[in-house]
Amino acid sequence: MLRFWMLLILVELTAGWKWMAKIKAPSLRKMRKGNRFGDKKLVVITGTSSGLGKATAKALLRAKDYHVVGAVRDLDKMQVVAEVEGFDMERFTPMQLDLASFDSVKSFAQELDKFRGDRPVDRLVCNAAVYQPTLDYPKWTEDDHEQQLQINYLSHFLLTSRVMPMMTDSDDARVVMIGSVTGNDNTVGGGGVYPIADLKELDGLELGAKKPIAMMDGYNFNGAKMYKDTKLALMMTTNMLHERFHRSTGISFSSIYPGCIAETPLFREKRPWFRKYFPVFMKYITGGYVGEEEAGSRLFQVLHDPACAKSGVYWSWNGGPREGRADALDTGGQITGAGGAGGGWESIFENDQSDKVLNKDLMQKLWESTNEITKAQWPKAYQSKSPCPTLKVVGAATSLLGIMEERARMKTSRDGAGAKVVADKNLPKEVRRQRLADMLQKLDKTPSDPEELAKDLARTSGE
């Protein structure tokens, strides 16, 4: 009997101390966290030499809570910008990254891993982008992909896969993709201005998207559409990353639209008249204008504010163009509503995503095709999520002219017997890819005159 009571007492004591099992001793890596960067969080941002990336880096450095790694193609330019802007070089480290090269992405990831030492990466911001709407033909990377496709999307996809393992020890890891209203077609900016972001069946990406296959949809080249398609792809990828990895890694994945930065270098390839009048139009007519500094503070908020640690969100700000448009000239363009300037931190909200962004079947195909092209490797984890309801704001906003132009582009790319070969999913991919390549090669508008080609490329180089 005595033994019975002693056993009972031991059981009760054991149950009472169960809470101690939940205590985790700090890992050696976390104990060493302060050795190099103190208590500062480590942030990686692509494209910090201009535009949104530069403005965000400035905001982070002002906060004094972060060490910023600026991933840029031109280190000399970055050095000049850092000096002019007064970057604290004790807390800012530029590193070379050419997003037009998969090899450069891999080299950057290796250098970053060495640089961080025992510290985790706390933030990754996929910001850098190019916009090439004026050329009638695509420009190619060293990997033979269209430049906007690789720089804006493919290389950021690969970069994320390489940096994610460096983030798992962080207590507050966040990956932020820069989306766009142009990639979200449930808005006027995304659904009412041709060309519309639309990946269709992803035939081009499925077949490798290598020269001369420029577009992800596999149709003829359209530079403005390619930019919008890459933003749509980034937003879809954000959702896929959230579903697959948020619960297992604790990393938060979100996308943002900071507003239309009408005077950003992103528009350097647009014609001079556009660069002159577009900011005026956005500021006083639509109310969608946002300056670089304000856009940078918005991205900073998503990186810094504890309320923005939520995963699977498309963040936007209530700052125009819904109300007050008539008084825009009297208020310096300050209008309330979604997207434009003003509103402050309190105006942030979880924006609705379009049906295209939330298309799970196409999201899966995008994921598989992009992995095949980039050879990205990810942890084996998956956690499904039910899609959130969407706002049907613009049901029939596309103009008749836009529809006709898009149909003409598609018909030109799929005319003749070769179209049946491309559409036949039972044929080997290489056969379909070659037939699509042959058809698009005939449509290529690259100038045959070397002088004319050199002038075009110089005009769009951005230098």
Side-chain angles (χ1 to χ4, degrees):
M1 192 68 177
L2 180 61
R3 292 177 61 186
F4 169 77
W5 286 108
M6 290 181 66
L7 285 172
L8 184 61
I9 292 171
L10 285 173
V11 168
E12 289 298 320
L13 285 173
T14 302
W17 291 93
K18 275 185 178 179
W19 62 272
M20 294 189 66
K22 298 179 181 179
I23 299 177
K24 293 183 179 180
S27 66
L28 181 60
R29 168 170 286 187
K30 289 190 175 183
M31 291 174 67
R32 294 175 179 170
K33 281 172 68 173
N35 290 353
R36 184 165 190 171
F37 304 105
D39 58 353
K40 294 173 176 54
K41 294 183 180 295
L42 188 58
V43 183
V44 177
I45 310 178
T46 63
T48 52
S49 61
S50 65
L52 177 62
K54 179 183 73 174
T56 306
K58 289 170 62 177
L60 288 164
L61 294 174
R62 282 196 299 267
K64 301 186 183 302
D65 296 322
Y66 302 94
H67 188 102
V68 180
V69 173
V72 295
R73 179 176 59 87
D74 189 338
L75 286 174
D76 292 335
K77 177 183 177 182
M78 183 70 256
Q79 188 64 39
V80 172
V81 169
E83 291 178 7
V84 171
E85 298 292 342
F87 282 14
D88 180 356
M89 299 308 290
E90 291 294 319
R91 295 186 291 110
F92 180 79
T93 303
M95 287 189 187
Q96 208 278 331
L97 170 62
D98 184 358
L99 291 166
S101 165
F102 290 146
D103 284 341
S104 179
V105 173
K106 296 170 187 174
S107 296
F108 170 82
Q110 291 175 350
E111 183 181 359
L112 176 66
D113 201 21
K114 294 177 183 176
F115 173 77
R116 73 185 181 96
D118 294 313
R119 284 297 302 271
V121 174
D122 297 285
R123 306 284 191 272
L124 171 62
V125 184
C126 297
N127 163 70
V130 292
Y131 179 40
Q132 299 170 341
T134 61
L135 277 178
D136 291 329
Y137 54 88
K139 294 161 71 174
W140 306 96
T141 67
E142 68 175 46
D143 298 302
D144 283 336
H145 298 293
E146 193 274 336
Q147 283 190 2
Q148 295 173 101
L149 173 61
Q150 182 162 350
I151 294 171
N152 300 0
Y153 173 60
L154 294 177
S155 285
H156 277 129
F157 186 95
L158 177 61
L159 177 66
T160 303
S161 74
R162 295 278 174 144
V163 176
M164 261 183 60
M166 308 179 203
M167 305 181 75
T168 53
D169 278 345
S170 172
D171 297 325
D172 181 20
R174 306 183 196 182
V175 174
V176 180
M177 305 278 186
I178 309 304
S180 172
V181 67
T182 62
N184 202 37
D185 70 355
N186 64 350
T187 63
V188 174
V193 181
Y194 178 82
I196 309 300
D198 189 352
L199 303 180
K200 303 195 188 309
E201 298 301 317
L202 277 174
D203 287 340
L205 197 70
E206 181 190 9
L207 298 177
K210 278 200 169 186
K211 187 177 182 180
I213 304 173
M215 303 293 290
M216 283 191 276
D217 64 11
Y219 291 95
N220 198 23
F221 179 70
N222 182 307
K225 184 178 186 299
M226 174 56 88
Y227 173 81
K228 295 181 179 183
D229 284 353
T230 61
K231 291 300 179 180
L232 171 57
L234 282 171
M235 294 169 69
M236 294 173 73
T237 297
T238 301
N239 291 337
M240 181 62 82
L241 290 169
H242 166 71
E243 292 188 3
R244 285 178 174 266
F245 303 118
H246 172 60
R247 182 162 296 185
S248 60
T249 66
I251 299 173
S252 169
F253 302 94
S254 63
S255 59
I256 78 163
Y257 172 56
C260 182
I261 314 171
E263 294 174 304
T264 177
L266 182 66
F267 295 109
R268 57 181 170 263
E269 294 196 14
K270 297 291 283 186
R271 294 174 177 83
W273 67 264
F274 180 92
R275 297 197 300 269
K276 180 178 180 180
Y277 293 110
F278 182 61
V280 177
F281 176 78
M282 293 302 295
K283 189 169 187 178
Y284 294 106
I285 306 301
T286 71
Y289 174 90
V290 174
E292 282 185 5
E293 292 299 317
E294 183 172 10
S297 70
R298 288 177 171 183
L299 177 50
F300 167 75
Q301 179 181 3
V302 173
L303 298 173
H304 180 78
D305 191 343
C308 296
K310 186 175 180 179
S311 189
V313 176
Y314 171 46
W315 297 106
S316 295
W317 286 259
N318 262 333
R322 291 179 183 164
E323 301 170 2
R325 189 176 302 156
D327 301 323
L329 292 175
D330 298 325
T331 58
Q334 300 301 303
I335 306 173
T336 59
W345 276 34
E346 294 77 14
S347 68
I348 195 171
F349 68 101
E350 298 178 27
N351 205 346
D352 293 289
Q353 302 180 56
S354 70
D355 290 332
K356 287 177 183 175
V357 177
L358 296 172
N359 185 329
K360 287 185 174 290
D361 291 335
L362 199 62
M363 197 186 301
Q364 183 63 33
K365 188 173 183 180
L366 176 69
W367 178 263
E368 293 172 354
S369 298
T370 309
N371 273 306
E372 186 173 342
I373 291 171
T374 62
K375 304 296 187 292
Q377 296 181 349
W378 306 88
K380 292 183 178 180
Y382 185 83
Q383 183 63 41
S384 61
K385 174 182 77 71
S386 300
C388 63
T390 59
L391 248 186
K392 297 181 179 178
V393 178
V394 183
T398 306
S399 67
L400 178 61
L401 177 60
I403 295 173
M404 292 173 63
E405 288 187 16
E406 180 66 358
R407 286 178 178 173
R409 183 183 77 94
M410 293 170 62
K411 185 176 186 302
T412 304
S413 306
R414 291 290 192 276
D415 205 12
K420 294 182 180 179
V421 175
V422 174
D424 189 349
K425 302 297 175 72
N426 294 319
L427 292 174
K429 275 189 179 182
E430 184 54 36
V431 173
R432 295 170 60 219
R433 194 205 73 81
Q434 188 58 53
R435 186 55 61 93
L436 180 58
D438 292 342
M439 289 192 296
L440 293 177
Q441 191 70 58
K442 294 177 182 178
L443 298 170
D444 186 27
K445 295 182 180 180
T446 304
S448 56
D449 181 4
E451 291 187 7
E452 184 181 352
L453 177 61
K455 288 180 181 178
D456 265 352
L457 297 180
R459 176 173 62 85
T460 61
S461 66
E463 298 178 356

